[in-house]
Amino acid sequence: MATDRIRDFIRTTRPDGPCLVVDLDVVRDNYRAFERALPDSRIFYAVKANPAPEVLKLLADMGSNFDTASVREIELAMEAGADATRISYGNTIKKERDIARAHALGVSLFAVDSHEEVEKIARAAPGARVFCRVLTSGEGAEWPLSRKFGCVPQMAVDVLVYAHQLGLTSYGVSFHVGSQMTNLDAWDAAIADSKYVFDKLARQGIVLEMVNMGGGFPTRYLKDVPSAEAYGQAIKGALIDHFGNQLPETIIEPGRGMVGNAGAIKAEVVLVSRKSDLGENRWVYLDIGKFGGLAETMDEAIRYPITTDRDADEMEPCIIAGPTCDSADVLYENTPYPLPISLTIGDEVLIGGTGAYTTTYASVAFNGFEPLRSYVI
Amino acid sequence: MATDRIRDFIRTTRPDGPCLVVDLDVVRDNYRAFERALPDSRIFYAVKANPAPEVLKLLADMGSNFDTASVREIELAMEAGADATRISYGNTIKKERDIARAHALGVSLFAVDSHEEVEKIARAAPGARVFCRVLTSGEGAEWPLSRKFGCVPQMAVDVLVYAHQLGLTSYGVSFHVGSQMTNLDAWDAAIADSKYVFDKLARQGIVLEMVNMGGGFPTRYLKDVPSAEAYGQAIKGALIDHFGNQLPETIIEPGRGMVGNAGAIKAEVVLVSRKSDLGENRWVYLDIGKFGGLAETMDEAIRYPITTDRDADEMEPCIIAGPTCDSADVLYENTPYPLPISLTIGDEVLIGGTGAYTTTYASVAFNGFEPLRSYVI
């Protein structure tokens, strides 16, 4: 999955230690694919997926808006050239002093899912626009969402009425179908819930304008995933089914889908060994693991494509683990991973599809290992 | 569980944002308790548990040795005043160039669990002492070890014979019963396995000297745990049972047991809300979560004691989650956590028993949140 540019960069610069290399050409292609697939939706890139300044700058130049999780992410988006009108503070859990800082920076679009959060925003960012997140089931997602964010649709009605009463602009509804969602029908139920909230509010004279359809657009790991076009068709169909002629303004928040397939991690085989002479699986230890950036292998949720220079050789399943003294730092064990039998200590491996949710998940210095370095080319 | 000194520090300095405060008096007491419990064992503090320079300095001054996982941890121990003879490179997964760097720094004690690692050490640190880690079952540990480290005892025999053949000093055997082990019998089986390896080697004329009994000594979270004295008695008994009059040199590697109860994290309630009006559990969102230092709440493995200023009020179970836009960032949900009904946004909470495995697990900048700050007093 690594592009030729990524392979060339690694071959010519020979960086020491594990590192992520991100190819901006792929990010550019992904942005255009989202634009084409959903031309009527505004794109808010989810900064948390990969906040590298070069990525943010490219997307800001292309006209992207930004979904942010903290004041620091707001600052990063603004440093990349986005003005505050292009920024959404999409975290439903915010300190009141952070809301005030965002407000001072000019941000005027905030996510909520509770009366308490509405009160904070009314105090710290008077007059701002708010959208309320509704709970979705998350079925079919590879990295399913818990019930952490959102509230039931009936409560979303109350929350948005309350926001209106406190002088805020009740602006819309948001949902998130779950990350890496490959079930195209998932959006339909959430869009139906959004329409329910729109209708309830309208009966009280409050006109909502926007449906924030969140992220969930998958990147290709080992399995094929539907194209951006297919998502676009499914989403457009669902919007028309439920909203008819009165289509709301829509927002999408791709993160993984924008940068996941744009990056590859270069890693090194530190050890290949067995635990006994009984012919059990080999253990292959890499110089990167769960605490160095591959946190999303938790419960073996995401199975990254791993390539080596020996892939023409015979393959054999093995257990893959990271370099730390932590016994939880095992990447693939329940479903062993086929790698060449000839793979040996010192070999380089490329872990594809790692442009999202790797550099920032990396721990500060667990076991004394430095965080994952990143090159954007 | 937070000491008066920790509470005073927080009250007087009022640090903004979540932070860990470590009380060196507790570390000092823990070190002395280990010395008293196992006066014949050398203590190798597991640096990865908490590599704060002040902690390392205190322990170096008290005479501790250091178990390290990387070259950076070796450097930290040396910067704290330990010379290389007091340092063990205890990671069984090492790059050959890191072994060479450790060798150049004077380190001469290395862990292995495979023939391949022995070959690296023979090349990069000729003449060094090696100990081979054997697999243990890990039953009874709250944070059980996988099969990532160690090999079966019969293979350990082969590995140590091979080390001897390559000119290394085959020095001993190590095991680790699993972190936070509260089953005092766990050491017995592992010591029996160690004796098996000693005997097999002796028959080939190779005299092992050392048993490295690893860590696993628990810290007190919510449940009571056996005292260091009780561990000492159980371990001494097992050593005498298996080794009789010819007791080997022994090493212990406490990490969590040395610093866990010395630290408390100050956090803030960011939001208290519900998902519907149906009277389900409250959600309490803190400004620290799984990616900010509380990674060991994974699968709710470790249940930290949480105290507030309202603990005299009526309690009610709630779900506790962190501040990031990641739905996996939930601390306690399967077994809801009782907190005061009166708990409110902006309240401070103290999370006890967090001196180990928190600051270093923290992510670099996930969601733009800075890593966990630490104060050592």
Side-chain angles (χ1 to χ4, degrees):
Chain A
M1 297 237 324
T3 63
D4 289 343
R5 291 184 69 221
I6 291 175
R7 289 175 188 277
D8 284 347
F9 175 84
I10 293 170
R11 196 160 35 232
T12 52
T13 56
R14 309 233 47 83
D16 188 40
C19 63
L20 170 69
V21 185
V22 174
D23 185 342
L24 285 179
D25 286 353
V26 180
V27 180
R28 189 179 294 112
D29 289 347
N30 289 338
Y31 184 82
R32 290 194 179 128
F34 280 116
E35 274 189 325
R36 276 195 308 272
L38 286 163
D40 299 323
S41 295
R42 290 170 73 201
I43 299 171
F44 281 68
Y45 170 62
V47 174
K48 59 182 175 290
N50 189 328
E54 301 90 337
V55 171
L56 300 182
K57 172 81 164 55
L58 172 75
L59 292 172
D61 290 348
M62 293 185 81
S64 186
N65 304 280
F66 296 90
D67 165 48
T68 62
S70 65
V71 173
R72 181 67 196 129
E73 286 194 352
I74 292 169
E75 291 168 346
L76 286 171
M78 295 182 82
E79 288 162 14
D83 67 48
T85 62
R86 289 162 65 187
I87 294 172
S88 163
Y89 196 162
N91 193 338
T92 54
I93 311 152
K94 301 172 287 297
K95 290 182 179 173
E96 188 165 329
R97 53 191 185 276
D98 286 339
I99 296 167
R101 289 164 67 198
H103 179 66
L105 289 168
V107 173
S108 69
L109 182 59
F110 295 86
V112 298
D113 65 1
S114 67
H115 293 79
E116 294 79 1
E117 197 74 11
V118 164
E119 291 174 356
K120 288 189 232 170
I121 295 171
R123 285 190 296 266
R129 292 168 298 160
V130 296
F131 56 93
C132 187
R133 181 154 167 180
V134 294
L135 276 168
T136 58
S137 77
E139 279 170 37
E142 287 189 15
W143 185 253
L145 302 179
S146 69
R147 288 168 57 84
K148 181 176 177 187
F149 307 105
C151 59
V152 300
Q154 176 52 50
M155 183 169 149
V157 173
D158 298 341
V159 165
L160 288 168
V161 168
Y162 189 52
H164 180 81
Q165 288 166 348
L166 295 189
L168 296 169
T169 300
S170 291
Y171 188 61
V173 174
S174 75
F175 58 80
H176 196 299
V177 291
S179 193
Q180 191 68 3
M181 171 59 79
T182 53
N183 173 9
L184 292 177
D185 295 332
W187 275 266
D188 188 74
I191 289 171
D193 285 340
S194 304
K195 182 59 163 63
Y196 165 87
V197 178
F198 269 61
D199 287 349
K200 285 279 188 178
L201 270 285
R203 265 174 238 151
Q204 304 199 37
I206 302 168
V207 179
L208 298 182
E209 297 178 40
M210 182 272 283
V211 175
N212 177 341
M213 302 187 289
F217 309 98
T219 195
R220 188 179 176 284
Y221 295 108
L222 284 175
K223 293 183 290 190
D224 276 328
V225 298
S227 66
E229 286 74 14
Y231 279 89
Q233 288 303 326
I235 289 169
K236 266 186 258 182
L239 282 168
I240 291 168
D241 279 355
H242 296 290
F243 282 90
N245 291 333
Q246 297 192 292
L247 287 184
E249 174 192 340
T250 52
I251 277 177
I252 56 170
E253 296 175 333
R256 191 186 306 277
M258 189 74 85
V259 294
N261 67 338
I265 284 173
K266 184 222 73 160
E268 178 181 329
V269 176
V270 182
L271 180 64
V272 182
S273 65
R274 294 180 193 265
K275 299 294 166 189
S276 76
D277 301 326
L278 299 176
E280 300 169 14
N281 284 328
R282 289 170 301 165
W283 282 69
V284 171
Y285 300 91
L286 303 178
D287 62 357
I288 185 169
K290 265 199 171 62
F291 304 102
L294 302 178
E296 292 200 312
T297 57
M298 201 189 297
D299 301 326
E300 309 192 14
I302 286 183
R303 199 162 171 92
Y304 294 108
I306 301 177
T307 55
T308 79
D309 289 339
R310 302 180 192 268
D311 290 348
D313 296 354
E314 194 184 342
M315 298 289 201
E316 195 184 67
C318 59
I319 300 166
I320 305 180
T324 67
C325 280
D326 193 307
S327 64
D329 186 13
V330 177
L331 305 179
Y332 302 113
E333 180 173 17
N334 297 332
T335 308
Y337 201 107
L339 286 178
I341 295 177
S342 55
L343 194 71
T344 191
I345 294 168
D347 280 359
E348 193 173 285
V349 304
L350 273 180
I351 309 172
T354 43
Y357 299 111
T358 50
T359 49
T360 51
Y361 267 126
S363 68
V364 179
F366 189 55
N367 275 220
F369 293 113
E370 64 179 52
L372 183 61
R373 266 172 302 141
S374 157
Y375 302 91
V376 180
I377 59 175
Chain B
M1 299 238 321
T3 64
D4 289 343
R5 293 184 68 221
I6 292 175
R7 289 175 188 279
D8 286 347
F9 174 84
I10 293 169
R11 195 158 38 231
T12 51
T13 56
R14 308 233 47 82
D16 187 40
C19 63
L20 169 68
V21 186
V22 174
D23 184 341
L24 286 179
D25 286 353
V26 180
V27 180
R28 191 179 293 111
D29 290 347
N30 288 339
Y31 185 82
R32 290 195 180 127
F34 279 116
E35 275 190 324
R36 276 195 307 273
L38 287 163
D40 299 323
S41 295
R42 292 170 72 199
I43 299 171
F44 281 68
Y45 170 63
V47 174
K48 59 183 174 288
N50 188 326
E54 302 90 336
V55 171
L56 300 182
K57 173 80 166 57
L58 171 76
L59 292 171
D61 290 349
M62 293 184 82
S64 185
N65 305 281
F66 296 90
D67 165 48
T68 61
S70 64
V71 172
R72 181 67 196 129
E73 287 194 353
I74 291 169
E75 292 168 346
L76 287 171
M78 296 182 82
E79 287 163 14
D83 66 49
T85 63
R86 290 161 65 186
I87 295 172
S88 164
Y89 196 162
N91 192 337
T92 54
I93 310 153
K94 301 173 288 296
K95 289 183 180 173
E96 189 166 328
R97 54 189 184 274
D98 286 339
I99 296 168
R101 288 164 68 197
H103 179 67
L105 289 168
V107 173
S108 69
L109 182 59
F110 295 87
V112 298
D113 65 1
S114 67
H115 294 79
E116 293 80 0
E117 197 74 11
V118 164
E119 291 174 356
K120 288 189 232 170
I121 295 171
R123 284 190 297 263
R129 291 168 299 159
V130 296
F131 55 93
C132 187
R133 181 154 167 183
V134 293
L135 277 167
T136 58
S137 78
E139 279 170 34
E142 287 189 16
W143 184 256
L145 302 178
S146 69
R147 288 167 58 84
K148 181 177 176 187
F149 307 106
C151 58
V152 299
Q154 177 52 50
M155 184 170 148
V157 173
D158 297 340
V159 166
L160 288 168
V161 168
Y162 189 52
H164 179 80
Q165 289 166 347
L166 295 189
L168 296 169
T169 300
S170 291
Y171 189 60
V173 173
S174 76
F175 58 80
H176 197 299
V177 293
S179 193
Q180 190 71 1
M181 171 57 78
T182 53
N183 172 12
L184 292 178
D185 295 332
W187 276 265
D188 188 74
I191 289 171
D193 285 341
S194 304
K195 182 60 162 64
Y196 165 86
V197 179
F198 269 61
D199 287 348
K200 284 277 188 179
L201 269 285
R203 265 175 236 153
Q204 303 199 37
I206 302 168
V207 180
L208 298 182
E209 296 179 40
M210 183 271 282
V211 175
N212 177 340
M213 302 187 291
F217 309 98
T219 195
R220 189 180 174 284
Y221 296 109
L222 285 174
K223 292 184 290 190
D224 276 328
V225 297
S227 66
E229 286 74 14
Y231 279 90
Q233 288 303 325
I235 289 169
K236 267 186 258 182
L239 282 168
I240 291 168
D241 280 353
H242 296 289
F243 281 90
N245 290 333
Q246 298 191 289
L247 287 185
E249 175 192 338
T250 53
I251 279 177
I252 55 170
E253 296 175 334
R256 191 186 305 278
M258 189 75 84
V259 293
N261 68 338
I265 285 173
K266 185 222 71 157
E268 178 181 330
V269 176
V270 182
L271 180 65
V272 182
S273 65
R274 293 180 194 268
K275 299 292 164 191
S276 76
D277 301 326
L278 300 176
E280 299 168 16
N281 284 326
R282 289 171 301 165
W283 282 68
V284 172
Y285 300 90
L286 303 178
D287 61 358
I288 184 170
K290 264 199 170 62
F291 303 102
L294 301 178
E296 292 201 312
T297 58
M298 199 189 299
D299 300 326
E300 308 192 15
I302 287 183
R303 201 162 169 91
Y304 294 108
I306 301 177
T307 55
T308 79
D309 288 340
R310 302 181 192 268
D311 290 347
D313 296 355
E314 194 184 343
M315 298 289 202
E316 195 183 68
C318 59
I319 299 167
I320 305 181
T324 67
C325 280
D326 194 307
S327 63
D329 187 12
V330 177
L331 305 179
Y332 302 113
E333 180 174 18
N334 297 331
T335 310
Y337 201 106
L339 286 178
I341 295 177
S342 56
L343 195 71
T344 191
I345 294 167
D347 280 359
E348 192 174 285
V349 304
L350 273 180
I351 309 172
T354 43
Y357 298 111
T358 49
T359 48
T360 51
Y361 268 126
S363 68
V364 179
F366 190 54
N367 276 220
F369 293 113
E370 64 179 52
L372 183 61
R373 264 173 303 141
S374 158
Y375 301 92
V376 180
I377 60 174

